[in-house]
Amino acid sequence: MSFCGPARLFYTIVRLVTSWWRADRIRVSSRPARLLRLAPGSALRVHGVPAIVVLRQIGETPSGRYIAYECDAVGGIVRLVVRHTDDRVHPLVTWTVAGRAVELPAEEVETFPRPSTRA
């Protein structure tokens, strides 16, 4: 079967959408997903403590994968760790300040994208 013009374009778009839909990818809701996209230079605030991401690390333990962010805050270096949970909707978030770790819901972490460097 040979397509031309608009029919060919439509067929190509349908194939692309079908391929994308069937792809194996991490599925989390958009709110918690913002915690997976932080990059050095991004700002965040937890319990009123502002911090700037200086390092992003991805790792894996026997309990699963995680993303850890080292952040510069007023009181020193703080750490934010985001782990996937079994329900894949609500990640487990750990906020560590001065060696004291606290688990909290993802919604308690305010994020602000890194400022654009484009002129």
Side-chain angles (χ1 to χ4, degrees), residues 59-109:
E60 189 167 358
T61 65
S63 61
R65 293 182 178 176
Y66 67 88
I67 299 176
Y69 300 100
E70 298 289 330
C71 305
D72 190 15
V74 174
I77 298 295
V78 296
R79 184 174 171 95
L80 179 75
V81 178
V82 182
R83 287 183 171 74
H84 290 287
T85 58
D86 290 337
D87 70 8
R88 295 185 180 259
V89 174
H90 301 96
L92 177 64
V93 178
T94 307
W95 176 247
T96 306
V97 178
R100 185 170 167 250
V102 177
E103 289 184 6
L104 49 103
E107 293 77 26
E108 289 190 26
V109 181

Side-chain angles (χ1 to χ4, degrees), residues 9-59:
L9 177 62
F10 177 76
Y11 179 73
T12 302
I13 291 171
V14 168
R15 280 190 15 214
L16 284 170
V17 169
T18 302
S19 173
W20 171 81
W21 185 257
R22 292 182 180 166
D24 186 23
R25 58 191 182 277
I26 296 174
R27 290 176 173 89
V28 295
S29 69
S30 60
R31 280 189 73 123
R34 66 189 161 64
L35 295 177
L36 304 175
R37 295 187 299 260
L38 294 173
S42 297
L44 54 96
R45 183 171 38 221
V46 178
H47 296 185
V49 177
I52 302 292
V53 174
V54 293
L55 180 66
R56 179 180 193 262
Q57 300 171 317
I58 299 173

